[in-house]
């Protein structure tokens, strides 16, 4: 029996014990509750049922091939217009060289970038083919739904055809970015040039139907309401009922420090980050994994998040540029030994996995 300081959590506890789905109103009660320990206890019940003491991580590297972007979303400090002194684009040779500088063999290569105005469609296919050839053991987790839409535009192909081409070139799964918050109100204000939430979901649905699993993110802690967060979570849950193709949900706290919103929005607090994690675990009853993305949360808070529903600590990383540009202060890589210590000290059992969440022996 859990003792709650917020009496609104008791009926939700009963629903969880009966495996009943939580609805929008339940979600609002969770978000409005300040009984953080109660929320963590509820989320831990669910994560224990799904994963017992297991916490996953992957031995991976990130590739941010270019930050030049046509969209220039207001919350993004990574995307730069062409000609900006901080703009860069790596060629395939440079990417391979950078990957080879770090420890190997890599299990997963995580590839995302801006919407580059002139890189041709073949660059993306060639990039995957080359990485597959150079790192045959690595699974390629590449391109957000926003990039997939861009590739459809520059190739004049449909998204299904683009996804098939990428799969043939070596793609294993999609990383899940670009979802932000699906609300039209938010997108109009913060990222008017970005694809709509509806289009994002359509691309994820198409990928799932082609046997390409994806992850899903939500960028929270800017100008969205709790209601808009819940609409986002429920839209993902609905699509997952239909396709079963989401592997993992990743709540991403907004890092305002270097964005256009730095004067209007304060960074999230640890309290809000842990609450978000717990609510995600409770609402997304059909998405198996929940990630504490240590690059944005910080290592210490990501460790605590394991007691708030998270069962995945992402990976060892190396070379990640998005949080660099956004003012993230967390160190840039973890060794296997460090990541396993973080998991064990929190009372869990580390499980090294591949990009598709298969445990590695
Ligand atoms: S969030 Fe993505 S699409 Fe928006 S500016 Fe940044 S890189 Fe470009």
């Amino acid at each position: 029996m859990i003792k709650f300081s917020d009496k609104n959590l008791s009926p939700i506890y009963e629903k969880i014990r009966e495996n009943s789905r939580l609805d929008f109103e339940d979600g609002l009660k969770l978000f409005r509750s300040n009984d953080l320990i109660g929320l963590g206890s509820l989320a831990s019940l669910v994560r224990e049922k799904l994963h017992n003491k297991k916490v996953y991580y992957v031995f991976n590297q990130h590739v941010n091939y270019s930050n030049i972007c046509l969209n220039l979303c207001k919350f993004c400090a990574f995307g730069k217009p062409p000609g900006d002194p901080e703009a860069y684009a790596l060629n395939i040779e440079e990417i391979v060289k950078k990957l080879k500088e770090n420890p190997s063999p890599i299990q997963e290569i995580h590839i995302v970038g801006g919407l580059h105005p002139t890189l041709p469609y073949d660059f993306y296919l060639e990039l995957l083919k080359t990485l597959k050839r150079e790192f045959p053991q690595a699974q390629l987790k590449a391109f957000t739904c926003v990039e997939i839409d861009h590739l459809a535009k520059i190739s004049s192909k449909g998204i299904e055809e683009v996804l098939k081409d990428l799969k043939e070139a070596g793609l294993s799964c999609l990383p899940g970015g670009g979802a932000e918050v699906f609300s039209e109100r938010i997108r109009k204000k913060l990222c008017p040039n970005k694809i709509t939430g509806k289009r994002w979901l359509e691309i994820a649905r198409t990928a799932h139907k082609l046997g390409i699993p994806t992850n899903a993110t939500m960028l929270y802690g800017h100008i969205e309401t709790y209601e808009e967060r819940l609409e986002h979570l429920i839209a993902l849950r609905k699509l997952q009922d239909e396709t079963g193709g989401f592997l993992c949900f990743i709540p991403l706290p907004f890092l305002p420090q270097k964005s256009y919103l730095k004067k209007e929005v304060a960074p999230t607090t640890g309290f809000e980050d842990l609450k978000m994690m717990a609510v995600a675990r409770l609402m997304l009853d059909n998405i198996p994994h929940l990630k504490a993305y240590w690059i944005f949360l910080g290592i210490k808070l990501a460790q605590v998040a394991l007691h708030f529903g998270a069962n995945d600590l992402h990976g060892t990383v190396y070379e990640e540029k998005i949080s660099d540009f956004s003012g993230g202060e967390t160190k840039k890589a973890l060794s296997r030994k460090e990541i396993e210590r973080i998991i064990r000290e929190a009372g869990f059992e580390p499980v090294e996995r591949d990009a598709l969440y298969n445990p590695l022996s």
Side-chain angles (χ1 to χ4, degrees):
M1 186 66 199
I2 303 173
K3 274 202 169 171
F4 297 106
S5 63
D6 175 357
K7 63 178 175 20
N8 283 326
L9 298 187
S10 302
I12 296 179
Y13 174 51
E14 290 310 320
K15 274 186 147 179
I16 290 165
R17 277 173 23 125
E18 290 159 10
N19 288 326
S20 304
R21 177 161 273 191
L22 303 186
D23 60 23
F24 188 88
E25 289 308 316
D26 295 323
L28 270 186
K29 283 181 192 147
L30 293 170
F31 271 131
R32 287 176 182 156
S33 178
N34 286 327
D35 182 358
L36 190 64
I37 300 302
L39 292 173
S41 305
L42 289 175
S44 293
L45 273 182
V46 176
R47 67 141 285 150
E48 287 257 325
K49 239 190 265 176
L50 291 169
H51 305 289
N52 203 356
K53 290 283 174 205
K54 291 188 173 72
V55 170
Y56 295 80
Y57 74 94
V58 63
F59 191 71
N60 68 346
Q61 291 194 33
H62 283 217
V63 170
N64 299 129
Y65 55 90
S66 172
N67 65 348
I68 300 174
C69 189
L70 292 166
N71 272 3
L72 302 179
C73 309
K74 283 201 179 123
F75 51 75
C76 178
F78 171 72
K80 304 284 175 205
D84 185 284
E86 287 187 296
Y88 74 87
L90 302 175
N91 64 37
I92 295 177
E93 221 171 85
E94 288 166 324
I95 292 170
V96 170
K97 190 166 166 262
K98 267 181 178 294
L99 287 169
K100 285 190 173 169
E101 279 165 10
N102 290 321
S104 61
I106 323 162
Q107 188 60 46
E108 170 194 278
I109 306 179
H110 174 120
I111 308 162
V112 292
L115 308 187
H116 195 288
T118 53
L119 276 180
Y121 185 59
D122 274 354
F123 166 84
Y124 301 87
L125 299 180
E126 214 32 63
L127 175 62
L128 296 188
K129 283 181 197 162
T130 308
L131 294 182
K132 207 65 211 169
R133 201 168 52 239
E134 294 283 341
F135 308 94
Q137 77 294 336
Q139 290 158 314
L140 308 180
K141 183 173 79 179
F143 312 130
T144 64
C145 291
V146 181
E147 288 165 282
I148 300 294
D149 177 78
H150 177 68
L151 297 189
K153 282 190 186 124
I154 60 172
S155 63
S156 306
K157 292 184 175 198
I159 48 175
E160 188 168 331
E161 221 181 318
V162 168
L163 286 162
K164 279 183 183 163
D165 287 350
L166 294 171
K167 194 176 178 188
E168 212 182 292
L171 179 80
S172 286
C173 54
L174 303 190
E180 323 309 355
V181 178
F182 293 142
S183 148
E184 258 181 68
R185 179 188 80 88
I186 303 275
R187 290 178 109 81
K188 265 188 199 146
K189 279 197 168 165
L190 298 188
C191 47
N193 301 324
K194 187 166 255 172
I195 57 169
T196 61
K198 210 170 148 201
R199 176 76 169 161
W200 190 99
L201 289 162
E202 183 197 339
I203 294 171
R205 178 184 287 108
T206 310
H208 297 172
K209 291 196 169 151
L210 292 171
I212 304 170
T214 76
N215 296 323
T217 57
M218 177 169 74
L219 184 76
Y220 68 93
H222 39 88
I223 58 165
E224 84 290 358
T225 62
Y226 282 150
E227 285 83 353
E228 285 162 334
R229 286 191 204 178
L230 281 166
E231 281 159 13
H232 185 98
L233 295 176
I234 290 172
L236 292 174
R237 189 170 76 179
K238 198 166 161 227
L239 181 56
Q240 181 73 342
D241 279 343
E242 186 189 321
T243 65
F246 288 121
L247 295 168
C248 178
F249 177 69
I250 309 144
L252 298 171
F254 174 50
L255 304 174
Q257 294 89 315
K258 293 190 183 170
S259 77
Y260 297 103
L261 299 173
K262 62 176 178 263
K263 291 202 177 122
E264 294 154 52
V265 180
T268 58
T269 60
F271 194 93
E272 193 59 32
D273 292 333
L274 294 176
K275 184 191 279 191
M276 182 64 241
M277 195 62 73
V279 179
R281 182 62 287 164
L282 295 167
M283 294 304 295
L284 296 175
D285 53 19
N286 55 0
I287 298 188
H289 301 282
L290 177 63
K291 183 174 293 190
Y293 192 62
W294 62 262
I295 303 151
F296 275 35
L297 286 173
I299 295 163
K300 291 183 181 181
L301 195 62
Q303 184 191 37
V304 178
L306 301 178
H307 287 279
F308 286 77
N311 70 292
D312 182 62
L313 259 193
H314 189 58
T316 46
V317 178
Y318 295 98
E319 191 66 31
E320 194 272 350
K321 293 265 181 228
I322 296 173
S323 79
D324 272 358
F325 276 97
S326 308
E329 285 159 11
T330 306
K331 64 189 271 191
K332 296 301 166 232
L334 286 173
S335 65
R336 274 197 181 93
K337 206 171 152 197
E338 285 171 306
I339 216 164
E340 294 207 353
R341 182 173 83 96
I342 290 163
I343 295 169
R344 283 213 177 88
E345 282 198 1
F348 296 98
E349 176 197 323
V351 178
E352 188 174 346
R353 62 168 175 87
D354 67 9
L356 305 176
Y357 284 84
N358 300 304
L360 303 176
S361 53

